[in-house]
Amino acid sequence: MAQITYIQALRDGIREEMQRDENVFIMGEDVGLYGGAFKVTQGLLDEFGEERVRDTPISEAAIAGLAVGAALTGMRPIAEIMFFDFTTLTMDQIINQAAKIRYMFGGKAKVPMVLRAPMGCGTGAAAQHSQSLVALFAHIPGLKVVMPSTPYDVKGLIKSAIRDDNPVIFAEHKLLYWTKGEVPEGDYIVPLGEADIKRKGKDVTVIAGSIMVPRALEAAGILEKEGIDVEVVDPRTLVPLDEDTIMESVIKTGRVLIVEDDCRNNGWGAEVAARIAGGEAFDYLDAPIMRLAGLDIPIPYNPKLEKKAVPQVEDIVDGIKQVLL
Amino acid sequence: MATLVKMPKLGLTMTEGTIVKWLKKEGETVEKGEPLLEILTDKATLEEESPASGILKKVLYQEGAVVGIGKTIAVIAKEDEDIAGLDLEGEYDTPPSEKGKNAAGIQNKGEKKPVTASDRVKASPAAKRRAREEGIDIGQVQGTGPGGRIIEQDIIDFVKSAKTKVSPTAEKIAVSKGIDVKEIVPEKGIRVMKEDVLKAVGRGKKTPLSGMRKIIADKMVLSKNTIPHYYVSMDVDMTEAVRLRENINGFLKDSDIKLSYNDILIKASSLAIREFPVVNSYVDGEAVVFKEEINIGIAVALEDGLIVPVIKNADKKGLKQIAFEREQLIEKARTNKLLPDEFSGGSFTISSLGMFGVDRFTAIINHPETAILAVGRIKKQPVVEEDNIVIRPIMNLTLSADHRVIDGALAAAFLNKIKEYLENPFLQLMEG
């Protein structure tokens, strides 16, 4: 099987869906001729033309509004926001319109759109270009939130997101873009709402999303040498959340560490922790549920401080050891 | 209206009873008067009858539980009756032994005791669940988690250590020799090895004290520990008693009844007690309680123990009646058919080992009585009578007395009185 990058897999997924369904189109700042800020859409303009690969003015509100309107007319827009931070400019369109319309029209209208954007820190892009704001959207009823961690998942999930009849927030991580992984050629999907066990283990469950998945796997590799057997669970989609897989894993290991690529306060990890504590896994817990997340600060520009702001591999190693105390 | 079945008081000194066996299961129909359960008292195992008809809705104590008298042990109610509202809180102090089950599953309406910080055991939910599943008290487990928290592994280790480790060879030998490995303490380490079992074989098979043996053991220890015993001994010339017995048996030769020396002793003792009422008493805490009736117990050896049936009002009965009752009671004792009334309420016990060739011995007082008479065999002996040596049938009597209520002089006088009635048995005819 071919080893391709996350960007390539994502592009393949978008291309295949555009080939499959002519209602699918992509739009965003510089997605056409320039191929997007991270080159996700490179080559698509040549293949599908200006009608279906549209450069937009520099207005995230306009992009989101346009996507909502197009979706309502039966199109399946993919709206690229250059940095996830700028989704704050789409909030009214996404939260007040996209998330509500299907409900308010009694199901007679639907909004099959995907809002995708690169998130996260680690590139020295400072406070306004480094946030991972998935928890903001996961809080809103009516939105689905996806955060793929591997090339295989990103292709399967973008296809599911495009085919979904509801607005989907698709959070890619900048540092994952150039990671490589095995991806089969041709059509396959990864359903929304299915977590994936990225590594089987029996001593502790690490629930990690997005960039924290490869970091947790690296930490698990280090701890394996110390005789600690770590299970890594990747929820893949925050909404809907695959509670069953999480519960099963926690019931098996009795210990859990949640690792988030965002600040800790009111993060998605709190939601997962609450579900575990309130669910059937409670009676199997052998230690308090621990959360490892970024500091509650804006992401610093200084690269050393930036590294300190969110969990690194060594932080996950320490966190796992604390849960196992 | 639901009926609460209480632990009955089946004897004077009974304070608690052990539930040996439930003869009905929860949900079964019972008739009033039908045997409901077996209770082990300090004297024997007895069947207790159901106080009401209905459905045995709830059993509050499982088999093996020790319950104080008067405590509710079960609930009998009508088929469709809801007993959930019954306030049974505080009625049972040891939870049913069934693992993990909510104690009795009955809602306790009473106020809940507030939980204080010191009541709480620091344990992970997994440890608590495991403890529940294994049926162990989490309070006994030492926690190894942060801050002493009990974690699941601690429970697993606790359960493991609670189980005796046995080497396969040791196990095999133990099984073949009928030895319970749990009783063996390994000499080295924590594992019972072949050598340990072989040593245990040398010591012989261990049988736990249970049933009647346990009752006897407990009673004897109680008696010896609480009653200050002392002993007074006397030889009795049985010439006249022998003659009396032979004569009477001559008259009774066509009847089923045969007079024994025991009967004469029963009558003699009961008449002597009349004159020494303190012998007919028992110590209850700081008080001495005097009994009305004079009831004489006779110790009867059984294959696996001993029981003391009682002849009631012996002082008021003739020798023939006493002989008749004695034969009946001994027969019942040997076939295990004695009713509680027939072996309780005794005043004074006679223990005779004469038929086993014993000349003299001392006996342990049958708690809560105050004296016991140990009777040896009748043996022809040379006796000095007015400067002549004559041969007489002599029998030794040894009285064990409770010095809290009977002093030496009184014991001597009492024993002398018995001796008088035995040496002059016609005196027995004057009383009744």
Side-chain angles (χ1 to χ4, degrees), chain B residues 344-382:
Chain B
S344 55
S347 311
F348 180 78
T349 299
I350 295 171
S351 175
S352 177
L353 291 178
M355 62 282 243
F356 301 109
V358 172
D359 289 331
R360 61 176 68 218
F361 71 104
T362 60
I364 296 174
I365 295 168
N366 186 13
H367 185 87
E369 296 170 11
T370 56
I372 188 168
L373 191 67
V375 181
R377 68 166 162 162
I378 299 169
K379 188 180 169 189
K380 284 189 175 172
Q381 283 177 21

Side-chain angles (χ1 to χ4, degrees), chain B residues 198-269:
Chain B
L198 290 176
K199 270 186 195 153
V201 174
R203 287 197 297 272
K205 191 175 148 187
K206 278 195 179 179
T207 318
L209 281 175
S210 66
M212 179 177 269
R213 203 66 254 159
K214 171 90 177 125
I215 296 166
I216 293 169
D218 289 347
K219 280 197 79 178
M220 291 304 128
V221 170
L222 176 71
S223 176
K224 268 285 190 178
N225 280 347
T226 58
I227 302 176
H229 282 62
Y230 72 99
Y231 311 94
V232 180
S233 200
M234 235 173 237
D235 281 343
V236 179
D237 183 342
M238 291 293 279
T239 310
E240 291 304 318
V242 169
R243 187 178 296 158
L244 174 77
R245 178 172 169 271
E246 278 169 2
N247 282 340
I248 291 176
N249 278 342
F251 287 114
L252 291 175
K253 69 174 186 288
D254 295 329
S255 94
D256 292 338
I257 302 165
K258 259 194 162 173
L259 195 69
S260 76
Y261 290 113
N262 266 333
D263 302 327
I264 300 168
L265 271 160
I266 290 162
K267 183 73 183 173
S269 307

Side-chain angles (χ1 to χ4, degrees), chain A residues 86-122:
Chain A
F86 309 156
T87 59
T88 53
L89 292 158
T90 71
M91 285 295 184
D92 178 59
Q93 292 303 327
I94 300 299
I95 293 176
N96 289 329
Q97 309 303 331
K100 308 291 188 284
I101 285 169
R102 190 169 187 177
Y103 169 79
M104 290 177 72
F105 284 84
K108 292 208 158 83
K110 53 191 184 188
V111 187
M113 62 168 283
V114 178
L115 188 83
R116 38 164 296 270
M119 70 172 183
C121 65

Side-chain angles (χ1 to χ4, degrees), chain B residues 242-386:
Chain B
V242 169
R243 187 178 296 158
L244 174 77
R245 178 172 169 271
E246 278 169 2
N247 282 340
I248 291 176
N249 278 342
F251 287 114
L252 291 175
K253 69 174 186 288
D254 295 329
S255 94
D256 292 338
I257 302 165
K258 259 194 162 173
L259 195 69
S260 76
Y261 290 113
N262 266 333
D263 302 327
I264 300 168
L265 271 160
I266 290 162
K267 183 73 183 173
S269 307
S270 64
L271 291 174
I273 289 170
R274 267 194 190 176
E275 293 172 47
F276 296 88
V278 71
V279 177
N280 195 25
S281 70
Y282 65 94
V283 178
D284 181 10
E286 296 297 304
V288 181
V289 184
F290 288 84
K291 288 182 268 194
E292 295 277 323
E293 295 177 349
I294 298 173
N295 305 330
I296 308 295
I298 332 131
V300 178
L302 304 177
E303 208 170 288
D304 55 353
L306 172 76
I307 198 156
V308 184
V310 170
I311 293 173
K312 302 269 162 75
N313 295 307
D315 58 320
K316 291 176 187 154
K317 285 174 180 164
L319 280 173
K320 187 178 169 187
Q321 179 66 21
I322 289 172
F324 172 73
E325 285 185 22
R326 190 230 345 122
E327 279 180 5
Q328 298 277 318
L329 288 173
I330 289 174
E331 178 58 25
K332 275 189 178 181
R334 289 191 176 140
T335 52
N336 208 10
K337 283 183 185 150
L338 282 177
L339 299 173
D341 189 44
E342 292 170 325
F343 59 80
S344 55
S347 311
F348 180 78
T349 299
I350 295 171
S351 175
S352 177
L353 291 178
M355 62 282 243
F356 301 109
V358 172
D359 289 331
R360 61 176 68 218
F361 71 104
T362 60
I364 296 174
I365 295 168
N366 186 13
H367 185 87
E369 296 170 11
T370 56
I372 188 168
L373 191 67
V375 181
R377 68 166 162 162
I378 299 169
K379 188 180 169 189
K380 284 189 175 172
Q381 283 177 21
V383 176
V384 177
E385 206 176 82
E386 291 171 3

